[in-house]
Amino acid sequence: MEFDFSAPTEFDHPLIMELELDSVTRWDVYLRLKEHSIPCTCKHGQPVRVQIHTVGAALRLWSILQTLTASREVMVERLQRCWKKSLVQ
């Protein structure tokens, strides 16, 4: 796999996303986004509103959402897949 490092890493306009999550997950996602300096707002009873300006921020958002919303079974399966790959390499 080859990467094109000349490709832009910032978007022309920020992507605005509203994340509909349960109240506990919403707060956890909001705090993690703040830790990563990703602009977001979270008002009581409203979705988390996120501004994505870079590809890196989009990847961090994806990772945060996967970590906080994936079921235990999915997380175990991913971990086992990583262990298998590390044993093969």
Side-chain angles (χ1 to χ4, degrees):
M1 178 186 323
E2 292 185 32
F3 295 98
D4 179 7
F5 291 104
S6 64
T9 58
E10 292 190 13
F11 302 123
D12 292 334
H13 303 286
L15 290 145
I16 308 295
M17 301 178 70
E18 290 190 349
L19 308 174
E20 296 279 348
L21 304 162
D22 66 77
S23 59
V24 173
T25 305
R26 181 175 62 233
W27 184 245
D28 290 341
V29 167
Y30 171 76
L31 292 175
R32 294 286 292 146
L33 292 170
K34 286 294 190 186
E35 288 174 2
H36 287 274
S37 300
I38 297 173
C40 59
T41 58
C42 183
K43 296 181 181 176
H44 180 72
Q46 299 294 317
V48 177
R49 189 171 169 90
V50 185
Q51 291 183 26
I52 300 297
H53 294 271
T54 66
V55 173
L59 290 171
R60 286 191 300 277
L61 172 61
W62 177 85
S63 177
I64 290 166
L65 289 173
Q66 292 299 304
T67 301
L68 294 174
T69 62
S71 68
R72 183 180 188 285
E73 292 79 21
V74 168
M75 296 299 281
V76 167
E77 179 184 314
R78 289 178 185 161
L79 185 56
Q80 288 174 337
R81 207 171 347 159
C82 289
W83 285 336
K84 288 178 185 176
K85 284 185 180 183
S86 68
L87 291 175
V88 172
Q89 295 176 356

